[in-house]
Amino acid sequence: MSKKPYKEIGSLSIHSVREEYSGVIKVSLNEMGYVEVSISETHEYGMTAEIDLTFEEYERVLKAVDKANDILLSDIFYQERYGVDLINVSGPSLKRQGFILVNVFEHSIILVVSLTRGADADIMIGKEEISLLRSLFKKVEMILDIKQFDKKA
């Protein structure tokens, strides 16, 4: 299957208190309805991982980020990573399959994209950047909802 071109919906630069967890999150859509989530670590040996999600998988990621945000707002302090959700992704391309892991650690969300055949990239999103991430993810959700509605009409 040839890769359909993706249209970038938005990106977010994350500046973590720990340099190894800084990077860029990009979210894109293609004509077939897949959402591409890309995490690029910006440190010297950083990796980039791009994964293709279906609408349902993307919804799970969005719900996990919202749940992680609720945990952080409750002022529970986790000194070790606390797993919020693990979303297995079986996209159309073997190179873009794997999982997304959403964790809470201290006062941050750690978002991990792990590819079955390739890179593992993770990024630590602080409280001040979580609302920006949620806005980006909600923007994509609105576009997907409109596309789903158009298909039904």
Side-chain angles (χ1 to χ4, degrees):
M1 171 190 279
S2 64
K3 180 183 171 188
K4 298 277 184 180
Y6 281 81
K7 180 178 187 247
E8 186 176 315
I9 302 303
S11 64
L12 180 62
S13 291
I14 303 295
H15 304 285
S16 177
V17 292
R18 297 181 182 189
E19 185 181 340
E20 68 270 19
Y21 289 114
S22 294
V24 176
I25 300 171
K26 291 182 186 173
V27 183
S28 306
L29 291 172
N30 77 1
E31 296 168 1
M32 296 178 58
Y34 283 94
V35 179
E36 177 189 71
V37 175
S38 170
I39 293 181
S40 297
E41 299 169 331
T42 53
H43 61 86
E44 184 178 358
Y45 302 105
M47 296 187 170
T48 296
E50 299 172 337
I51 199 162
D52 290 339
L53 305 164
T54 64
F55 178 74
E56 293 79 16
E57 292 163 341
Y58 186 76
E59 286 287 312
R60 278 195 59 199
V61 172
L62 187 58
K63 287 178 185 175
V65 168
D66 284 344
K67 183 178 177 182
N69 187 51
D70 290 344
I71 291 169
L72 291 174
L73 291 175
S74 69
D75 283 333
I76 297 173
F77 184 79
Y78 288 95
Q79 292 181 327
E80 296 181 11
R81 286 188 183 195
Y82 172 77
V84 176
D85 201 355
L86 173 77
I87 300 96
N88 287 308
V89 178
S90 55
S93 167
L94 288 175
K95 293 179 182 177
R96 293 170 162 266
Q97 293 179 359
F99 64 85
I100 293 184
L101 179 62
V102 180
N103 291 311
V104 172
F105 177 67
E106 295 177 350
H107 298 291
S108 302
I109 293 174
I110 297 178
L111 189 62
V112 180
V113 172
S114 180
L115 301 176
T116 304
R117 298 183 178 185
D120 296 330
D122 51 355
I123 200 162
M124 183 182 277
I125 304 129
K127 280 187 174 181
E128 57 284 341
E129 295 169 320
I130 292 170
S131 63
L132 297 172
L133 176 67
R134 292 178 70 226
S135 294
L136 174 60
F137 280 6
K138 293 281 185 185
K139 181 179 177 182
V140 174
E141 181 185 42
M142 288 184 348
I143 293 169
L144 288 171
D145 285 343
I146 291 168
K147 285 187 174 197
Q148 293 290 338
F149 180 76
D150 287 346
K151 283 183 182 179
K152 292 177 183 177

